[in-house]
Amino acid sequence: MKGYLPFLLLAGAWGLASPVMAASEQAIRDCQASSMNPLVVGACIKQLTSKAARIEEIDCRKDLECWGKHNEERAQRNCAPGFARAAQWDANWWKLWDEQEMTHVRWRSRREGTLEYYVDSGGMRLICGYDPDLPQRVQVQYGPALGDVGFEL
């Protein structure tokens, strides 16, 4: 333990030990994709790693309305291809999905911060399970428009 003490002190001084300073890999990839200008990307990553921004994101993640709106644009963009792929294999999808946008959000797992975006169409509900940490891996399904109503976007 003696040999680890100086490392722990240095890690704490640099902020490495603080989970508040850790930005998600997906958020960093989004910053990198946002611009070709290295100054813009650098400013974006600096904002992500700021303590205040991380605390704000952690607080937002606890509130369905905030977290749902925070991820809405990426979810809409990533759910559409999932619905289109499903429509290739099942004719019922073509009857239900007409490239409409999701109108509601609810928790899939509050603990994990995963969401379900959905839209009711003709008595049926199209649902897209969305994980902000893995935005390209959506889970789409449909069923009767029953159950709890989430937050309206």
Side-chain angles (χ1 to χ4, degrees), residues 133-148:
D133 293 331
L134 300 167
Q136 290 81 18
R137 296 183 66 196
V138 298
Q139 296 176 341
V140 295
Q141 63 190 43
Y142 67 87
L146 302 171
D148 64 337

Side-chain angles (χ1 to χ4, degrees), residues 100-118:
Q100 64 265 47
E101 292 195 2
M102 305 293 108
T103 58
H104 290 78
V105 65
R106 63 183 175 193
W107 291 113
R108 178 167 237 169
S109 170
R110 187 177 192 144
R111 181 173 180 247
E112 295 174 11
T114 57
L115 303 163
E116 284 186 343
Y117 289 87
Y118 66 91

Side-chain angles (χ1 to χ4, degrees), residues 33-109:
S34 68
S35 176
M36 296 298 288
N37 183 337
L39 295 174
V40 172
V41 172
C44 179
I45 291 173
K46 185 175 180 180
Q47 172 67 24
L48 281 175
T49 56
S50 80
K51 189 173 182 176
R54 291 298 296 156
I55 289 172
E56 185 178 313
E57 182 178 347
I58 289 167
D59 288 342
C60 179
R61 191 177 178 125
K62 296 174 186 174
D63 177 44
L64 176 60
E65 180 179 358
C66 180
W67 195 236
K69 286 187 177 190
H70 179 78
N71 290 289
E72 179 182 8
E73 183 179 323
R74 284 191 315 154
Q76 299 279 6
R77 188 173 55 244
N78 287 296
C79 288
F83 288 127
R85 279 191 303 274
Q88 290 176 342
W89 303 106
D90 184 350
N92 289 327
W93 283 97
W94 283 119
K95 296 176 195 170
L96 299 170
W97 186 65
D98 189 20
E99 298 187 27
Q100 64 265 47
E101 292 195 2
M102 305 293 108
T103 58
H104 290 78
V105 65
R106 63 183 175 193
W107 291 113
R108 178 167 237 169
S109 170

